[in-house]
Amino acid sequence: MSLLSWNCRGLGKSRAVRFLKETVNYYKPNIIFLSETLSKINRIADISRMLGFAGFFVVDVQGHGGGLTLLWKNEGGVQIIDSCSNYIDFEVTKEQVGRWRYTGIYGYPEQGRRIEAWNMLRDLSLRSSLPWCLIGDFNDLMKAEEKKGGRPCARFLLQGFTEAVLDCGLMDLGFEGEMFTWERCRGTDAWVQERLDRGLANQDWKSLFPDDVVKIIEVSTSDHLPLFLDLNRRVYMEKKKRFKFENAWIRESDCYNVIKSCWTEKSNDDIMVRLGRCGVKLEEWGGGLVKEMREKIAEC
């Protein structure tokens, strides 16, 4: 079983919906939590049907901002416990595993409301004794190294969030992928990166899912990167990414050499074997170039 969490910054644009569809097709999450949808219930209903999800729950937008959505498939019973503009609290039941609790979080973006956010976590922690996991955009940092660029985060803010997490008996689930999940002014002198999105869980949750892993998905149409919570990495293996040849590689002189060395390495090999070997080598060689191209595009 798995969950996708994303601050999508609006689902009104077809580009965001297309990215969501591609991500769902690739990672196949059973549950999706979205924040800042900026969308009404009719729009969410259409997206839920398009993605093939049986159930959905919506917290309406507040004026011109906010909006939370929970989507789920038939697998595992989902029961909504409570909700507001900052969270959707729900329980999941699955045979042979039992019952546990999720809270999809969207923390207050205003710095002046941090104490409210920390007390909200403490209040949520007292509502149930089930194994518990929180995931989403907390709009908070725990360590100074979780921010790069701009003014350093005030120590009292780091300490306040950390103390709230400890008071709730929670621990950070860690991550695989990029360190930072949010950014602004990319490619400029004002570029700031922060780890605002994360997963937290109590010890009972960790005992129930000892092999869980949070993967940060690198490509996004939002200024936030999505999180993919995989409850059992041994079972839910990620699909192999399909190889794609980038036409821009042809302009690089090394491209010819990579292909030539693969093709002549074992001249007796079948043509399909040579093509496969060539694809692997090109992906290894060209991966860095693709990242460099993205950075140049962002700079332009």
Side-chain angles (χ1 to χ4, degrees), residues 75-130:
E75 306 164 28
V78 171
Q79 180 182 0
I80 306 298
I81 305 302
D82 191 18
S83 67
C84 69
S85 58
N86 295 103
Y87 63 78
I88 299 177
D89 197 24
F90 60 103
E91 293 180 7
V92 176
T93 304
K94 191 168 178 63
E95 283 185 34
Q96 300 177 338
V97 179
R99 192 160 58 106
W100 68 92
R101 177 187 177 203
Y102 276 121
T103 305
I105 287 284
Y106 173 59
Y108 293 106
E110 304 90 353
Q111 183 173 309
R113 304 188 72 179
R114 289 293 190 267
I115 294 177
E116 287 182 63
W118 305 334
N119 288 334
M120 179 180 69
L121 289 182
R122 293 184 175 101
D123 177 61
L124 285 167
S125 71
L126 299 174
R127 298 185 184 184
S128 173
S129 59
L130 287 174

